[in-house]
Amino acid sequence: MKILSPSILSADFANLGADVKKAVEAGAQWVHIDVMDGMFVPQISFGNPVITALRPVTDAVFDVHLMIEDPGRYVEDFAKMGADIITVHAEACTHLDRVIQQIKACGKKPAVAINPATPLSVLDYVLDDLYMVLVMTVNPGFGGQSYIPYCSKKVRELKAIIKERNLETLIQVDGGINMKTIDEARDAGVDVFVAGSAVFVGDIEANAKALLERIQ
């Protein structure tokens, strides 16, 4: 089953709970929460208070994407606040394996994100421990960017590695996913699709349903 994970970075912050409910009621299975610290990426977004406030709104999976330096400092906090999946960037972790084990020790599902120019080889020794790999299809930090075409090749290569190792690791993409690019991502072998403005700008229910129809 393919999964839609709407990114709340593009939601109306004044009506965040209502927007999330609309997306989930339309069929979105996960909620993607981008946490940005202004250091690993230029922007600052939101942290624990927002996740804590949203957790009672829905039972959907909270897919928390930590775009922060040294994310191991905060893994336990995000786990306590209601994250189900915790994604850290390979580029932000001095000791990637240690952080993955931290996430697992908290009873959460570990995922690792890699930026567009980061090679798949950084995953060689940790892939077996991962629930998911997030292949960034834009350079992280800003919404509304265009999908980088070579990332589709990267997804296909990762899919082949997962199959060769007989793993069940999910592949997620984040960045530039909309009705024009979602087919390419789906055909490359993506399992989980993060979409921001493509869901939250305009009619949320209609947008989510249209994207879900395309990915199944």
Side-chain angles (χ1 to χ4, degrees):
M1 179 182 70
K2 303 292 187 180
I3 295 167
L4 178 64
S5 187
S7 171
I8 66 170
L9 199 60
S10 296
D12 178 359
F13 285 5
N15 298 283
L16 188 54
D19 278 10
V20 167
K21 285 185 73 173
K22 286 179 183 178
V24 172
E25 288 171 359
Q29 305 98 319
W30 294 6
V31 177
H32 190 81
I33 302 171
D34 287 306
V35 179
M36 301 189 285
D37 64 356
M39 296 176 66
F40 180 70
V41 292
Q43 296 286 342
I44 297 173
S45 60
F46 30 68
N48 293 346
V50 171
I51 298 172
T52 302
L54 278 180
R55 188 67 279 183
V57 171
T58 177
D59 292 330
V61 170
F62 274 17
D63 167 27
V64 178
H65 177 193
L66 302 183
M67 287 184 274
I68 62 178
E69 292 285 355
D70 193 10
R73 295 173 294 164
Y74 301 105
V75 164
E76 291 184 12
D77 290 341
F78 283 104
K80 290 175 183 176
M81 298 299 171
D84 296 295
I85 301 163
I86 298 177
T87 302
V88 297
H89 272 261
E91 304 88 354
C93 297
T94 303
H95 305 289
L96 181 58
D97 181 76
R98 180 184 295 166
V99 178
I100 292 167
Q101 302 312 319
Q102 273 185 276
I103 297 169
K104 294 175 75 173
C106 290
K108 305 302 178 180
K109 294 176 178 176
V112 169
I114 52 175
N115 288 338
T118 300
L120 293 174
S121 58
V122 301
L123 303 171
D124 283 351
Y125 296 102
V126 298
L127 187 59
D128 289 28
D129 273 332
L130 299 182
Y131 174 71
M132 183 173 72
V133 174
L134 167 51
V135 176
M136 293 298 301
T137 43
V138 299
N139 291 296
F142 297 94
Q145 297 183 69
S146 297
Y147 185 94
I148 297 174
Y150 70 69
C151 294
S152 296
K153 178 175 181 287
K154 198 173 185 181
V155 169
R156 287 192 291 271
E157 291 174 354
L158 177 58
K159 195 76 172 181
I161 293 168
I162 290 169
K163 185 176 181 180
E164 181 183 353
R165 293 199 191 184
N166 198 29
L167 301 174
E168 296 183 356
T169 313
L170 299 178
I171 299 176
Q172 182 181 61
V173 289
D174 181 2
I177 297 298
N178 53 46
M179 291 296 284
K180 294 181 179 179
T181 59
I182 201 162
D183 290 352
E184 179 178 346
R186 179 201 63 215
D187 294 346
V190 173
D191 303 294
V192 184
F193 302 77
V194 176
S197 56
V199 172
F200 288 112
V201 175
D203 187 326
I204 295 171
E205 292 98 330
N207 291 340
K209 288 178 180 176
L211 289 167
L212 282 161
E213 186 176 336
R214 292 288 281 273
I215 65 178
Q216 299 303 338

